[in-house]
Amino acid sequence: MGHSGIDTDVVIAGAGPTGLMLACELRLAGVDVVVVERLAERTGESRAGGIHSRTLEVLDQRGILDRFLAAGELQPVGHFSGLYLEFDESESRHPYPLMILQSAIERLLEERAAELGVRVLRSSEVRGVHQDEAGVTVELGTALTSPATLRARYLVGCDGGRSTVRKLAGFDFPGTAATMTALIGDVELPELTEDYIWVRRCAGGDFSAIAFEPGWFRVITSEYDRVVDRDEPVTFEQLRESLVRLAGTDYGMHSPRWVSRFNDAARQAAQYRQGRVLLAGDAAHIHFPAGGQGLNMGVQDAVNLGWKLASVVRGQAPESLLDSYHDERHPVGERVLDNTRAQSALARPGAQTDALREVFGSLMVFDDVNRYLRGMLTALDIRYPIDGDHPLVGRRVPDADLKTTGDATRVYELLHAGRPVLLDLGGGAEVAAAAAGWADRVDVVEARAEDDFWTVPAMGEIPAPTALLVRPDGHVAWAAADTPDTSALRGALTTWCGPAAQG
């Protein structure tokens, strides 16, 4: 492949959940994309173990949620550093986390990517990144051929916490160093008589053992003030010895399927974009995996970036639209890093932390505290910095029931195509007329809301709007409470969908 011409619109490094979701979003928008992956095949390692409410909504918005629900199990409990949280069914159609292993998530997303025509090049490791005004040249080392190159308009690093793309492109990655070491493994525990052990605190840390399938357990041990070089090989014997130190027994542990190590280092790319190179998922942010937020944040990064990158590649929106990706997602990453640092601190062993957990737990019985923590962990309360007076602007749109002239019966069914939607709920003919210049890229839908009030997390019930512009990621870019301000609507259309078509 040559250096001068463009081989593809976008190269994505990494075929994990973030990279595959981004590839699906780009293909849905008609953009040519190639995913390059260092590994020859999916590892099958269980890794992350769940999907939170907002990610379930995102999958619902694309019409693919059912396949994930069929592969997992809803779990009506959540926690903040092991302290139980309650959920509110009024906040979402999907209020409870779905217990599903990352291996299954990757399999389902890869199947979806194949349906959309995504090309995935495995055994292809990024070894060089060179960008210029016209594109990015990606040097690859492959197991099957001599080193090759791909030339693309943009490159997105979705290649994990040790991202090669991030390092080669020179992104700063500041943060805080590890203060503890955790080991995780999928093993058999024949001498464990309990169905599971939920975060048992010990003198040096804590451990847990949870059965994901009959016969084997996910074991996690966390030891504080014990930091291991991250490049030191991880062994089954280390996991066994750690469990013995904490629990006094290894429960007859044997037959490991997978063993790995993590810690509470927290780092975030100073910028998510440098020219034609962008970062998403763990390549952009690493943190203690408390509350299972990492995979979810990566998928939501992808859905925020995908439609914006597609609009720029297709020439419909200016390149400056990509700056909003950093502006919107970097603060979300900062907040997750902060709450996982807090959860790590709350998990430390010792009498002082035990007392702090007692106080913190007593506060969590108050609805406002529970709602705040729940909204943060599920990402249902995210509000992007978008101009507008209506309380829905910047927030994810509620999946309200609708009466339409078509087949759709609720808001999220209107987002299956991944296009912006101008939803007219009684705003008048001027709403559709104001959007005439964007008919090639915005779906205008007339409908009636079944309910007079919509529930918004962290706000409660608000009157249903008369009209609203919903971005492809499900966030509201403009809304009207009564008589629509069509001038503001046209401004929002221009900002998020590019200039109106001529003529």
Side-chain angles (χ1 to χ4, degrees), residues 403-478:
K403 288 183 180 179
T404 68
T405 56
D407 296 330
T409 60
R410 53 192 180 89
V411 173
Y412 288 2
E413 291 176 345
L414 302 175
L415 295 169
H416 287 183
R419 286 164 55 89
V421 173
L422 179 57
L423 184 56
D424 180 1
L425 298 172
E430 62 269 22
V431 171
W438 292 268
D440 61 328
R441 72 205 87 154
V442 177
D443 294 333
V444 179
V445 178
E446 291 188 20
R448 291 291 180 271
E450 292 276 19
D451 299 310
D452 294 333
F453 291 89
W454 291 3
T455 300
V456 179
M459 294 185 62
E461 289 190 340
I462 65 168
T466 57
L468 64 164
L469 175 64
V470 184
R471 307 188 320 186
D473 59 0
H475 281 257
V476 177
W478 169 88

Side-chain angles (χ1 to χ4, degrees), residues 372-418:
Y372 175 80
L373 294 174
R374 180 176 68 235
M376 183 166 54
L377 292 177
T378 61
L380 289 176
D381 69 347
I382 289 173
R383 186 175 192 178
Y384 293 142
I386 300 175
D387 291 337
D389 296 330
H390 195 280
L392 277 178
V393 171
R395 298 185 184 275
R396 71 14 137 194
V397 65
D399 188 24
D401 292 316
L402 301 174
K403 288 183 180 179
T404 68
T405 56
D407 296 330
T409 60
R410 53 192 180 89
V411 173
Y412 288 2
E413 291 176 345
L414 302 175
L415 295 169
H416 287 183

Side-chain angles (χ1 to χ4, degrees), residues 320-333:
S320 57
L321 179 62
L322 296 178
D323 293 332
S324 69
Y325 168 61
H326 170 89
D327 294 343
E328 293 177 354
R329 294 304 297 173
H330 194 274
V332 173

Side-chain angles (χ1 to χ4, degrees), residues 193-271:
T193 57
E194 305 165 72
D195 291 334
Y196 68 92
I197 296 174
W198 174 253
V199 193
R200 186 166 296 170
R201 291 169 58 75
C202 313
D206 58 66
F207 70 96
S208 62
I210 300 174
F212 276 92
E213 288 181 9
W216 65 275
F217 288 79
R218 159 74 59 81
V219 173
I220 301 177
T221 66
S222 299
E223 296 186 80
Y224 283 77
D225 301 316
R226 186 185 186 94
V227 179
V228 178
D229 189 303
R230 68 178 192 171
D231 293 322
E232 179 184 312
V234 186
T235 67
F236 168 65
E237 186 61 22
Q238 289 172 348
L239 177 63
R240 193 192 70 77
E241 292 173 353
S242 179
L243 186 58
V244 170
R245 282 193 296 269
L246 292 168
T249 177
D250 66 357
Y251 297 101
M253 180 189 297
H254 67 85
S255 302
R257 295 186 179 184
W258 169 67
V259 180
S260 187
R261 179 192 296 121
F262 61 89
N263 57 42
D264 62 343
R267 298 186 180 279
Q268 184 179 25
Q271 293 291 325

Side-chain angles (χ1 to χ4, degrees), residues 9 21-34 112-113 115-119 306 310:
D9 292 324
M21 190 69 195
L22 178 59
C24 290
E25 291 291 284
L26 291 169
R27 281 300 302 140
L28 194 62
V31 170
D32 189 60
V33 58
V34 175
R112 172 63 170 168
E115 293 167 7
L116 293 171
V118 172
R119 290 179 287 163

